[in-house]
Amino acid sequence: MDTIYALATAQGKAGVAVVRMSGARAFDAAKALCGEMPMLRQAGLRQLSWNGIELDQGLVLAFASGASFTGEAVVEFHLHGSVAVVAAVLEALSQQPGLRPAAAGEFTRRALENGCLDLAQVEGLADLIDAETEAQRKQALRVLSGAVGQRADSWRRDLIRAAALLEATIDFVDEDVPIDVKPEVLNLLDHLLQTLTREADGTKIAERIRDGFEVAIVGAPNVGKSTLLNILAGREAAITSDIAGTTRDVIEVRMTLAGLPVTLLDTAGLRDTTDRIEGIGIERALQRAAQADLRVFLVENDLELPGLKPMQTDIVVRAKADQQIGFGLGISSVTGEGVDDLISEISVRLLGQSRRAGTLIRERHRIAVLSAIRSIELARNQILLESLRVELVADELQHAIRDLDSLVGRLGVEDLLDEIFSSFCIGK
Ligand code: GDP
């Protein structure tokens, strides 16, 4: 296999730039530049030169095969973060036999192939690199640390125990007092079904933590939706005016609330209209608001909105509280009254939703778990039959095990790998 190399830090000027190599020729290639190698895992200051020309002075760090991120021999050069230095070092490496530039995500792919990470951990790593908020960081780190693999292992153990218990009964059929294992098997399966169903539901929330919760601000035209969005976002994101029907499309602003990524949606004012274009805007507003994770209803004079009613979980606030007095939470974009309360109310509700996230984080995980659930349900139904056929149950349990194994990439995920690694940057 080729030895690969790449800049591991971001492109451009920086304090330090890290170039790393992985593969059988990594140590030789490093020696060709820096002379004597430092002790393993100990940084050594070295002069790097190539063809008699000095390239830079930097730290060299070497990891033996079997004790590195990729599982192969790895060397890192910690260079001065200069575009010219990095270019010169990469050029020198490119001239060495058996070395080639790494493809996007290739270091991580080697880590997966060498069993240093499982597939879920690779996904966790991708998410950690993309993480912009506190909740995203925590979620990604949990997955990177191997939480999915641990859960999958314990589910797998339960399935194997259920299968083993049933198979044992076959050996006992001729005995006078056969042990009835059904209650214990059903107990194991019911417990698994509960856990897996919760996990499948939780992936939706985990996806929100990764991609953002949508919060739609809805209300009649001119009630102050755009002004509120601007205040919440802290910048002029929507056009405000006192002509009804200004926000004809949906305006999105991304922000972080309580460590959660949030996309605020400013939607067209809801009212009965004969204007065709405004009608399309209203239709879109209704659709987006219906799909949003949370709706903030901004109401003036307790008017009902055509086409949309607040649900129990939505937030209803009184608009223009500087002008109208009333009950409940009132906000004023003029005096700033109620804005902090609204922000904490939105945060509390989204944090409440985010607690339903489990260990699994992707649609891929949800599909695998749903398939496992189906197999376990079939096995369970078979057990409840008078004419129980143990081999059919065992078959279904095997299916479920295979589905759960795909979470960590033991089986049936080869075609997914290209897609997963395409989201990685070069050098990772
Ligand atoms: P939208 O159509 O619901 O997006 O409403 P806008 O945000 O465009 O606001 C409509 C008008 O109401 C503008 O002239 C705003 O300056 C005004 N406005 C918005 N919020 C308040 C508020 O809290 N108090 C008062 N008095 N006026 C407001």
Side-chain angles (χ1 to χ4, degrees):
M1 201 182 299
D2 288 339
T3 295
I4 51 172
Y5 63 89
L7 174 67
T9 42
Q11 298 276 356
K13 195 151 70 166
V16 175
V18 177
V19 167
R20 69 169 160 184
M21 291 182 275
S22 175
R25 290 203 33 80
F27 283 21
D28 287 342
K31 268 187 224 154
L33 263 64
C34 73
E36 197 198 336
M37 291 288 279
M39 305 260 284
L40 289 172
R41 291 174 171 253
Q42 287 190 19
L45 183 63
R46 294 286 184 279
Q47 202 92 273
L48 304 184
S49 46
W50 181 245
N51 285 341
I53 297 167
E54 192 179 334
L55 304 177
D56 191 20
Q57 199 178 51
L59 293 181
V60 179
L61 191 56
F63 302 86
S65 129
S68 73
F69 170 70
T70 61
E72 302 174 326
V74 166
V75 179
E76 291 180 3
F77 294 135
H78 294 219
L79 307 164
H80 290 106
S82 129
V83 177
V85 167
V86 170
V89 170
L90 293 179
E91 173 60 26
L93 293 177
S94 77
Q95 291 177 19
Q96 302 208 30
L99 259 67
R100 66 163 170 82
E106 201 171 359
F107 289 91
T108 312
R109 194 166 188 151
R110 289 192 175 184
L112 176 74
E113 280 160 7
N114 293 326
C116 302
L117 293 177
D118 67 38
L119 189 57
Q121 287 177 298
V122 167
E123 290 165 326
L125 179 58
D127 286 356
L128 184 63
I129 289 169
D130 286 340
E132 289 176 352
T133 76
E134 191 59 9
Q136 288 171 334
R137 185 184 65 77
K138 285 186 184 153
Q139 175 166 293
L141 213 50
R142 195 168 62 234
V143 177
L144 175 61
S145 70
V148 175
Q150 284 158 16
R151 299 303 309 267
D153 269 352
S154 95
W155 298 330
R156 178 180 228 275
R157 272 198 302 276
D158 285 351
L159 287 170
I160 289 173
R161 174 158 174 75
L165 280 169
L166 282 171
E167 274 164 33
T169 56
I170 304 180
D171 303 335
F172 283 109
V173 279
D174 297 335
E175 306 236 335
D176 290 343
V177 203
I179 314 154
D180 188 5
V181 295
K182 281 189 194 173
E184 185 175 353
V185 173
L186 286 175
N187 197 13
L188 272 172
L189 297 189
D190 284 343
H191 182 70
L192 262 175
L193 282 172
Q194 254 180 27
T195 312
L196 293 177
T197 306
R198 214 171 35 236
E199 283 289 348
D201 292 343
T203 54
K204 286 271 169 229
I205 297 294
E207 280 185 306
R208 295 289 192 278
I209 292 177
R210 196 173 64 240
D211 302 330
F213 287 86
E214 284 196 347
V215 178
I217 304 176
V218 290
N222 258 339
V223 77
K225 298 180 296 300
S226 304
T227 313
L228 175 62
L229 177 99
N230 289 343
I231 289 192
L232 293 177
R235 62 189 163 99
E236 293 284 314
I239 317 147
T240 59
S241 85
D242 51 8
I243 308 160
T246 315
T247 310
R248 289 195 157 153
D249 216 333
V250 179
I251 289 174
E252 305 187 1
V253 175
R254 282 184 74 87
M255 56 191 288
T256 302
L257 279 182
L260 296 169
V262 174
T263 303
L264 274 181
L265 308 176
D266 178 19
T267 55
L270 303 178
R271 64 167 177 177
D272 293 318
T273 180
T274 51
D275 181 310
R276 206 173 65 84
I277 307 285
E278 190 186 355
I280 295 172
I282 291 178
E283 196 45 47
R284 214 169 278 172
L286 288 172
Q287 265 177 18
R288 286 300 290 275
Q291 289 162 1
D293 301 295
L294 176 66
R295 282 150 293 272
V296 175
F297 280 74
L298 205 51
V299 291
E300 207 173 9
N301 309 323
D302 290 332
L303 289 178
E304 289 239 339
L305 292 175
L308 199 64
K309 282 200 169 26
M311 297 191 292
Q312 188 91 46
T313 45
D314 291 333
I315 301 176
V316 181
V317 286
R318 203 161 22 86
K320 303 186 183 174
D322 51 292
Q323 287 181 347
Q324 49 162 350
I325 328 159
F327 295 107
L329 175 60
I331 58 156
S332 165
S333 303
V334 176
T335 63
E337 170 193 342
V339 173
D340 287 344
D341 290 340
L342 176 60
I343 290 177
S344 40
E345 192 60 30
I346 295 174
S347 307
V348 165
R349 292 189 191 217
L350 294 184
L351 278 173
Q353 291 193 26
S354 76
R355 269 183 219 112
R356 297 209 315 273
T359 316
L360 307 183
I361 52 164
R362 297 203 175 214
E363 181 62 10
R364 176 181 87 78
H365 302 164
R366 197 172 74 90
I367 292 170
V369 166
L370 288 180
S371 173
I373 288 175
R374 261 193 309 279
S375 297
I376 297 172
E377 276 169 348
L378 287 175
R380 191 181 182 284
N381 293 343
Q382 179 63 227
I383 293 170
L384 292 174
L385 291 178
E386 274 302 317
S387 55
L388 156 69
R389 288 179 55 197
V390 173
E391 70 280 8
L392 289 185
V393 178
D395 242 23
E396 292 304 341
L397 296 182
Q398 276 307 325
H399 277 152
I401 289 176
R402 273 204 294 279
D403 287 328
L404 296 177
D405 280 352
S406 75
L407 292 174
V408 285
R410 285 185 208 184
L411 266 177
V413 291
E414 295 78 8
D415 43 341
L416 278 176
L417 295 183
D418 287 337
E419 191 195 317
I420 289 173
F421 285 109
S422 67
S423 72
F424 274 73
C425 40
I426 289 178
K428 186 68 237 166

